[in-house]
Amino acid sequence: MAYLRQQAPYQAPPPNQNYLWDLFTKVDRDRSGSISATELQQALSNGTWTPFNPETIRLMMGMFDRDKSGTINFQEFGALWKYVTDWQNCFRSFDKDNSGNIDKNELKQALTSFGYRLSDQFYDILIRKFDRAGQGVITFDDFIQCCVVIQNITQCFQQYDTARCGTAQLYYEQFLSVGVQLMKH
């Protein structure tokens, strides 16, 4: 079994620091010198004129808030902005019909390109889980969340699949430990 790469494919070059500073100051609406989850959610667009999924914001805040302050400083923002841009490029490359969302077949193509070999039934589960609108498709922000969740679960599973064969035997407490590890993400 292959596992998801550690970062989004199709990486964009880092943005100019002046451009990034302008963006940062626009997002930092309260002029605190850092960006809260609320400010970040208001600043990001998934292309549907709806706010970014709060769970996706929470995941990204957890990933990029390196100093654990509960906010994103300018340095952390630069890394986060590149991450979102890379995912946006990735999303667009798999949104073959340019609909602004990912359907089951496009999701399957994306995750297969990341190295996953999953059943059609599992893709149905993913669509149901990450389709907040109930339309059988996943928006940009939910696509990020889906991929990050799959990656986090895979990393936890890898602790027990030492032969990298796609199987592992877990005792109940080990299973609980995996669940608790996932809760922190």
Side-chain angles (χ1 to χ4, degrees):
M1 170 180 227
Y3 298 105
L4 185 64
R5 296 180 198 135
Q6 296 301 311
Q7 55 188 338
Y10 316 106
Q11 293 185 8
N16 172 298
Q17 290 296 302
N18 291 333
Y19 172 76
L20 234 134
W21 180 253
D22 287 344
L23 282 175
F24 181 82
T25 57
K26 286 177 185 167
V27 174
D28 180 19
R29 293 181 183 222
D30 67 0
R31 304 291 179 240
S32 65
S34 61
I35 296 171
S36 68
T38 302
E39 289 171 324
L40 183 60
Q41 184 180 20
Q42 292 170 351
L44 293 176
S45 169
N46 65 18
T48 62
W49 302 104
T50 57
F52 235 60
N53 180 341
E55 182 60 19
T56 305
I57 295 294
R58 187 191 70 75
L59 283 170
M60 291 191 310
M61 291 290 291
M63 292 168 60
F64 290 95
D65 179 15
R66 304 276 188 233
D67 63 4
K68 305 298 181 213
S69 65
T71 60
I72 301 291
N73 65 31
F74 177 67
Q75 181 181 1
E76 295 163 338
F77 178 75
L80 183 142
W81 188 258
K82 183 175 180 336
Y83 181 80
V84 170
T85 302
D86 289 344
W87 273 116
Q88 187 175 47
N89 291 334
C90 175
F91 180 86
R92 287 179 179 156
S93 75
F94 291 108
D95 179 14
K96 299 295 184 193
D97 59 0
N98 293 318
S99 62
N101 53 53
I102 297 284
D103 65 22
K104 178 182 167 182
N105 289 329
E106 292 166 333
L107 179 63
K108 184 175 183 177
Q109 289 174 358
L111 292 181
T112 299
S113 79
F114 298 159
Y116 288 106
R117 304 294 177 261
L118 305 168
S119 70
D120 280 344
Q121 294 79 14
F122 191 73
Y123 285 107
D124 290 335
I125 291 169
L126 290 175
I127 292 291
R128 280 193 307 274
K129 171 68 178 160
F130 295 101
D131 171 19
R132 288 182 294 147
Q135 299 186 352
V137 294
I138 298 175
T139 57
F140 172 57
D141 52 339
D142 296 324
F143 177 72
I144 293 173
Q145 182 187 355
C146 176
C147 293
V148 169
V149 165
I150 294 289
Q151 180 180 12
N152 289 343
I153 292 171
T154 299
Q155 288 173 342
C156 287
F157 181 79
Q158 286 176 328
Q159 297 172 35
Y160 301 98
D161 181 17
T162 55
R164 298 294 188 260
C165 63
T167 62
Q169 181 176 351
L170 298 173
Y171 295 101
Y172 180 62
E173 281 194 27
Q174 290 173 314
F175 176 76
L176 289 175
S177 139
V178 168
V180 169
Q181 287 177 39
L182 291 171
M183 290 171 58
K184 70 178 180 178
H185 289 105

